[in-house]
Amino acid sequence: MADPNCDLNSPLLHDRAPEVSLDVNGFIDRGSEAATSPPENPFEFLGVPSLALPPMSPVDPFRNHTPTIAGLYEWCKTILCLPIAAVRLVLFGIVIAVGYLATVAALCGWKDKQSPLPLWRCRAMWITRLCARCILFSFGYHWIKRKGKPASREIAPIVVCNHVSYIEPIFFFYELFPTMVASESHDALPFVGTIVRAMQVIYVDRFSPQSRRLAIHEIKRKASSNEFPRVMLFPEGTTTNGRFLISFRLGAFIPGLPVQPVVVRYPYIHFDQSWGNANLLKLMFRMFTQFHNFMEVEYLPVVFPDESKQQNTVHFAERTSYSMANALNVLPTSHSFGDMILLTRASELAKERCSNYMVEMAWVENSFNISTSEAVVILERFLSMNPDSTGRVELHGFLNAYGLGCSPLSEKIFSYLDLEKKRSITFRQFLTGSAQIRKQPSFWRACETAFAQCSSDDTMDHTSLEQIGRVIQSTLHGAVNSETLRQLFDTDADVYVSKDDFMDCLQKNPLLIALFAACVNDP
């Protein structure tokens, strides 16, 4: 007999709160709200939002794909070409010497370095330019394929090119004899420095804002006058492997003058000629021991500044970058010269897989307003945490670097960065998390309030490590390593911590502001 309480329209199971549910990873949730809620944000008192990052690009635009001689064919070819390499090396030395002497003769008595090089001196420099072509010949570039033609200087006073090797400046010195933009360090190089001066190179210190402003003024001055040679720049700012186009610096586009993009390719099967992160001497040796090295140069149509967006320098640079990436059939990335600096610094400290410490620095700079030099300081702090071979730091290493014991607050600070909940963090998470905290308007006010709370009425201009330690312990509810505290706050080792010392420490280690939350919230 049918149950009278049953109804064909009633549900078979009554609504009940689930007691146990299983997610795809096999973790059990027993209805506890705390188990599913995100960890508390320890920087919420500053108005800092939770950290969110787009996926990291997996590419390495600086990696040379044939860093060593590999395979029987390459070894046989290298041994067979050793006598040829010796002849090429002699040729290289001779033409460098001839080019240097010709340049010295062409520049003899020239005093006015701010004015254009006189015409007769430019003609005398043809000897050096032919020597440059002989240098390319000695490196195995017996013929170079060209496509398109360079626009006249009147139409395109600025030329930009992708940067793959040290070969491009030598080629364009021969081909165009332009005024280039280069690092100040090039002026001190033997032989090369003299030749560089003949090109009336615009020197720039990439880490000095004043030097960059002066360089942009010089670019505009020389590009605007037809009496000077055309100005040539490598807007990527460093060499790549040619498989990607990294973020452009804006120096070539700020003057708002027409730009002719040029792309250079190095087709290869066995030997990647890109400089990137390769050793220069090894790269030169392998060039000397090739039968022939291939190089293609393509002059693209001139890109004119958009009249309706004349002042939008970024838009102008993006259109030029798109034109070059399209011609090369490569992807543009948000990496920059800053990533190469980070990679080099990690390599100097003998870290494994240094590409793990690249962060797409162009995106980081634009999003978090942090410079490359500041990022290097934060990288050194991260590397002091003993990352593993994959570039990740676990909680233990993180706490040791700051001299903190395990506590709910210190775990919350770590969890703020641990976006993937792997109980480990990457340098990208550490850098962007630190930068996001530091860019908050309330951060510096909180630092000043924290210092005021750590100092007494009698010593408003300084405080002691003991007082800082007491404040941190009252917030942390755990032990603090006094030696690590001294290394962080008392950099000049004078026992006292001045306001400048205190602010400098929190600028370099903005995560530590969470340790002063109690005194900031209740001054």
Side-chain angles (χ1 to χ4, degrees):
M1 182 176 180
D3 188 346
N5 294 324
C6 288
D7 186 349
L8 292 177
N9 295 321
S10 64
L12 294 176
L13 295 176
H14 297 288
D15 292 337
R16 294 179 59 186
E19 295 180 358
V20 177
S21 60
L22 188 67
D23 69 9
V24 294
N25 294 317
F27 295 106
I28 296 178
D29 176 13
R30 301 188 181 278
S32 171
E33 184 177 348
T36 58
S37 61
E40 182 182 344
N41 181 354
F43 306 100
E44 194 171 8
F45 70 101
L46 295 176
V48 180
S50 297
L51 186 63
L53 297 176
M56 176 66 182
S57 171
V59 304
D60 181 355
F62 307 108
R63 183 168 73 91
N64 183 293
H65 289 263
T66 59
T68 59
I69 302 173
L72 179 62
Y73 170 77
E74 275 298 292
W75 276 107
C76 291
K77 181 176 64 176
T78 300
I79 295 171
L80 186 63
C81 286
L82 284 176
I84 300 174
V87 174
R88 288 175 172 175
L89 184 60
V90 171
L91 174 63
F92 175 77
I94 291 173
V95 295
I96 281 283
V98 172
Y100 172 74
L101 294 174
T103 304
V104 169
L107 299 183
C108 183
W110 182 46
K111 303 295 183 184
D112 187 7
K113 304 297 176 66
Q114 295 300 313
S115 299
L117 194 67
L119 183 60
W120 73 268
R121 294 184 187 272
C122 290
R123 289 173 176 169
M125 285 298 297
W126 260 108
I127 299 174
T128 309
R129 292 172 68 177
L130 290 173
C131 287
R133 183 62 187 92
C134 291
I135 289 174
L136 294 176
F137 187 89
S138 70
F139 278 122
Y141 298 95
H142 307 124
W143 62 87
I144 297 171
K145 183 179 178 181
R146 295 170 176 82
K147 183 177 179 181
K149 294 182 179 180
S152 66
R153 199 240 180 265
E154 290 74 17
I155 295 175
I158 297 177
V159 178
V160 297
C161 181
N162 62 314
H163 203 4
V164 180
S165 180
Y166 58 86
I167 295 298
E168 297 104 45
I170 301 173
F171 171 80
F172 287 111
F173 172 77
Y174 162 71
E175 179 94 342
L176 302 177
F177 192 54
T179 291
M180 292 188 183
V181 178
S183 171
E184 291 177 340
S185 59
H186 291 166
D187 188 66
L189 295 174
F191 300 106
V192 176
T194 302
I195 298 173
V196 161
R197 285 190 288 275
M199 299 171 66
Q200 295 186 280
V201 161
I202 300 169
Y203 293 114
V204 61
D205 178 357
R206 285 181 274 206
F207 298 104
S208 168
Q210 181 181 3
S211 176
R212 292 199 300 268
R213 284 194 296 270
L214 291 174
I216 290 170
H217 177 268
E218 279 296 287
I219 292 170
K220 190 168 186 177
R221 182 177 76 90
K222 293 185 176 181
S224 301
S225 173
N226 285 330
E227 294 182 355
F228 283 99
R230 71 193 84 203
V231 178
M232 181 165 196
L233 299 94
F234 299 97
E236 293 173 290
T238 186
T239 53
T240 70
N241 58 19
R243 299 186 176 206
F244 304 92
L245 202 65
I246 66 174
S247 178
F248 278 9
R249 291 178 172 265
L250 302 179
F253 309 97
I254 291 176
L257 299 171
V259 169
Q260 181 173 30
V262 186
V263 294
V264 176
R265 307 177 188 88
Y266 296 89
Y268 75 93
I269 297 177
H270 302 284
F271 169 49
D272 182 357
Q273 301 156 59
S274 66
W275 193 352
N277 59 358
N279 179 275
L280 177 59
L281 293 179
K282 289 181 179 179
L283 192 64
M284 292 177 66
F285 173 76
R286 295 203 64 191
M287 284 185 176
F288 281 137
T289 54
Q290 301 295 310
F291 294 122
H292 174 75
N293 290 310
F294 293 90
M295 179 181 182
E296 299 176 357
V297 180
E298 181 178 359
Y299 294 92
L300 303 178
V302 176
V303 179
F304 294 89
D306 192 336
E307 294 296 335
S308 63
K309 297 183 179 180
Q310 184 90 20
Q311 302 305 315
N312 194 338
T313 304
V314 174
H315 181 256
F316 188 15
E318 286 175 348
R319 289 194 296 122
T320 307
S321 174
Y322 176 80
S323 172
M324 295 172 67
N326 188 54
L328 289 166
N329 194 27
V330 300
L331 292 174
T333 77
S334 294
H335 294 86
S336 73
F337 172 70
D339 288 286
M340 175 59 85
I341 294 293
L342 295 172
L343 188 149
T344 302
R345 184 59 182 147
S347 177
E348 290 171 352
L349 296 174
K351 296 299 178 181
E352 300 178 61
R353 301 181 185 176
C354 297
S355 59
N356 288 325
Y357 304 104
M358 295 190 299
V359 294
E360 295 181 287
M361 197 63 204
W363 172 80
V364 171
E365 287 178 346
N366 293 332
S367 302
F368 300 97
N369 193 29
I370 185 170
S371 67
T372 298
S373 55
E374 292 170 326
V376 170
V377 172
I378 295 176
L379 172 65
E380 291 172 350
R381 169 59 57 190
F382 183 82
L383 295 179
S384 72
M385 300 175 185
N386 296 319
D388 60 22
S389 60
T390 64
R392 303 186 73 95
V393 164
E394 296 182 351
L395 177 62
H396 178 71
F398 176 83
L399 296 180
N400 281 349
Y402 288 122
L404 306 177
C406 191
S407 70
L409 178 57
S410 59
E411 289 192 2
K412 286 179 183 177
I413 296 173
F414 187 80
S415 296
Y416 175 78
L417 304 173
D418 184 14
L419 301 181
E420 301 162 316
K421 306 307 171 192
K422 292 183 176 180
R423 301 290 291 174
S424 63
I425 59 174
T426 65
F427 172 62
R428 186 168 181 253
Q429 293 165 350
F430 183 72
L431 173 65
T432 53
S434 300
Q436 178 164 273
I437 295 163
R438 206 179 68 177
K439 82 170 189 176
Q440 300 301 316
S442 57
F443 174 72
W444 296 111
R445 293 196 300 271
C447 293
E448 291 180 351
T449 302
F451 178 79
Q453 292 298 306
C454 290
S455 57
S456 63
D457 294 336
D458 298 331
T459 59
M460 292 298 292
D461 60 336
H462 67 268
T463 185
S464 64
L465 290 172
E466 291 76 13
Q467 180 61 22
I468 294 174
R470 282 194 292 269
V471 171
I472 293 176
Q473 284 180 339
S474 66
T475 305
L476 195 63
H477 303 297
V480 180
N481 187 301
S482 58
E483 177 60 24
T484 305
L485 204 65
R486 184 191 63 78
Q487 293 173 0
L488 288 170
F489 286 95
D490 188 18
T491 53
D492 50 10
D494 61 354
V495 182
Y496 297 106
V497 178
S498 67
K499 184 176 180 179
D500 289 341
D501 290 338
F502 189 87
M503 300 292 282
D504 183 62
C505 174
L506 292 182
Q507 179 187 10
K508 295 176 180 177
N509 305 277
L511 295 168
L512 296 182
I513 191 62
L515 304 179
F516 300 92
C519 62
V520 170
N521 289 330
D522 187 22

